[in-house]
Amino acid sequence: MSQSNTLICRNFIDDLDKAIGNVQAESIYILTDDNTKRLCLPKLLQSSKLQACHIISIASGDANKNIDSAVEIWKYLSQNKATRKSLMINLGGGVVTDMGGFVASTFKRGISYINISTSLLGAVDAATGGKTGINFLGFKNEIGTFAPAKSVLIDVDFFRTLDAANIRSGYAEMVKHALIDTREEWKRILAFDLENINFDELKNLLVSNIQIKERIVEQDPKEEGIRKALNLGHTFGHALESLSYRTNKPVLHGYAVIWGLLCELYLSHIKLNFPKEDIIKLNYLIKEYYGQFHFDCNQYDELLELMTHDKKNESEAINFTLLADIGDVRINQTATKDDIFECFDFLRDGQ
């Protein structure tokens, strides 16, 4: 991909060696989790540039994207003599790239890092765009930095290790990118067959999908304006995801996002007359592949409280990104408590 630090690899080891060579690090530290250490690390270690690297491994899962894990990684770096000229390679999905980027961007006021995304969700969401973060006090990505990776490498072959649920979780973020882009992209994404994954086709979709995000990030790296378009679905979605962890029924991030998209497109219809037929298409997709988010009206106030704590808010009002149509993004939108509760009703009844 041109003018970008993101590369969808054709020859993974050659591309990796080149990315490492561009940094010229004194020492290299690879961050993995339980799964990527077993399934993906052996492929990396074929690189002659990684024969003397340090391996750091954390427990997998979003529940481990916290300050305790960050402290353990900082401690390892310090005890193993990492310097400001060290390089960190984050090998994993969104948890590893979010947390690895955060640790790298804060250790000794910042060391270089490379993200190698091993999940579809990580490739289209956490790995690109320069946001890093950890969860704190039950809130998603409450602590973090803006600190772009030196390179982001995406090898679609890694996605063959994913189960159907994790493919669908990543696909949800691709749906969001299509909605904020063009009706043509929206049709392309909806036409993708989630029952029989064609990885060559997925690679082609990824190229255009990641470019949508990177075009927006390039215009607004610190999320002061148009980058808020990328938050579509996330104000509701993060609240649903946080509630799922509070109730010990955790859902994958992409599932929470796609349910959040349904809520925010419905809110877009109420406030901006977003086309009802596109909501119907999304709802059909959700019924087919994502199922229901189970909650009841007694939890509405708790969800609202989670939404008011969302870091995207700039005042006491809850901040939404909405759509007047596919690709017609309206940032800095607000809604009443009644509007929000109506969206919760729609999510429960519409399913």
Side-chain angles (χ1 to χ4, degrees):
M1 294 165 64
S2 61
Q3 296 181 322
S4 165
N5 70 339
T6 302
L7 181 67
I8 297 180
C9 301
R10 293 186 177 183
N11 185 312
F12 177 70
I13 295 299
D14 286 353
D15 293 332
L16 174 62
D17 286 348
K18 187 175 178 182
I20 293 170
N22 288 340
V23 178
Q24 297 182 323
E26 287 181 349
S27 54
I28 299 175
Y29 299 77
I30 301 178
L31 179 66
T32 68
D33 65 18
D34 299 338
N35 294 326
T36 54
K37 185 177 183 180
R38 178 171 54 88
L39 295 169
C40 307
L41 182 62
K43 188 168 183 177
L44 255 70
L45 295 181
Q46 293 171 24
S47 167
S48 60
K49 293 184 180 292
L50 295 178
Q51 297 313 299
C53 69
H54 299 259
I55 312 293
I56 309 169
S57 190
I58 58 171
S60 59
D62 198 76
N64 299 297
K65 196 174 85 171
N66 56 36
I67 193 68
D68 296 329
S69 298
V71 167
E72 288 304 310
I73 303 166
W74 282 322
K75 194 184 295 182
Y76 184 96
L77 292 171
S78 217
Q79 290 173 345
N80 288 274
K81 299 182 171 56
T83 71
R84 290 187 78 177
K85 291 186 176 179
S86 295
L87 169 66
M88 195 151 171
I89 298 177
N90 303 314
L91 175 70
V95 170
V96 169
T97 58
D98 269 350
M99 186 158 62
F102 173 67
V103 167
S105 70
T106 49
F107 184 75
K108 295 190 183 291
R109 295 200 176 94
I111 64 174
S112 296
Y113 73 96
I114 293 170
N115 283 340
I116 301 174
S117 188
T118 59
S119 75
L120 181 58
L121 176 66
V124 294
D125 185 27
T128 60
K131 280 185 180 179
T132 77
I134 55 171
N135 304 334
F136 189 63
L137 300 180
F139 298 106
K140 287 281 297 178
N141 300 320
E142 182 80 345
I143 310 291
T145 60
F146 286 98
K150 288 290 184 187
S151 300
V152 178
L153 302 183
I154 296 169
D155 183 355
V156 173
D157 281 343
F158 282 135
F159 304 160
R160 296 177 189 274
T161 66
L162 301 174
D163 60 17
N166 277 284
I167 290 282
R168 290 169 190 182
S169 182
Y171 175 81
E173 288 281 354
M174 297 175 75
V175 169
K176 177 204 73 180
H177 288 150
L179 283 165
I180 63 176
D181 190 50
T182 61
R183 192 160 285 281
E184 183 184 1
E185 191 69 18
W186 170 233
K187 286 177 182 172
R188 284 184 72 210
I189 287 294
L190 288 180
F192 185 69
D193 186 357
L194 279 172
E195 290 286 355
N196 304 289
I197 305 297
N198 180 323
F199 286 94
D200 289 331
E201 188 182 340
L202 181 60
K203 182 187 269 192
N204 291 332
L205 278 177
L206 270 176
V207 172
S208 59
N209 206 265
I210 290 171
Q211 283 176 340
I212 294 166
K213 179 173 184 176
E214 293 203 320
R215 280 197 301 270
I216 291 171
V217 171
E218 192 177 343
Q219 292 174 60
D220 178 23
K222 296 287 182 73
E223 203 174 287
E224 293 160 340
I226 191 58
R227 183 168 178 164
K228 293 177 185 178
L230 297 171
N231 295 329
L232 182 68
H234 284 64
T235 302
F236 276 93
H238 276 164
L240 297 171
E241 187 176 5
S242 295
L243 182 68
S244 79
Y245 278 90
R246 282 188 179 182
T247 54
N248 294 315
K249 297 173 184 172
V251 299
L252 291 170
H253 175 71
Y255 280 62
V257 166
I258 208 151
W259 293 321
L261 282 171
L262 189 63
C263 290
E264 290 178 29
L265 292 191
Y266 182 75
L267 185 58
S268 296
H269 177 69
I270 294 172
K271 295 180 68 68
L272 302 169
N273 204 30
F274 179 83
K276 192 179 286 185
E277 57 269 25
D278 290 306
I279 300 175
I280 292 168
K281 286 176 185 173
L282 181 64
N283 200 20
Y284 178 81
L285 177 76
I286 290 170
K287 281 182 174 176
E288 193 80 3
Y289 295 112
Y290 294 88
Q292 289 180 276
F293 181 75
H294 296 284
F295 69 116
D296 60 48
C297 54
N298 295 323
Q299 294 169 303
Y300 285 15
D301 284 314
E302 187 175 2
L303 283 165
L304 186 66
E305 178 263 326
L306 286 165
M307 289 166 75
T308 59
H309 207 283
D310 195 288
K311 61 193 170 301
K312 296 182 288 294
N313 300 330
E314 295 171 359
S315 62
E316 290 186 6
I318 299 172
N319 198 310
F320 295 94
T321 292
L322 301 179
L323 298 178
D325 200 347
I326 305 288
D328 187 352
V329 179
R330 307 293 175 90
I331 63 172
N332 299 330
Q333 301 291 304
T334 58
T336 65
K337 179 178 176 179
D338 286 345
D339 289 337
I340 291 167
F341 280 19
E342 187 178 337
C343 294
F344 291 149
D345 287 340
F346 178 73
L347 180 61
R348 289 175 62 218
D349 297 340
Q351 299 179 109

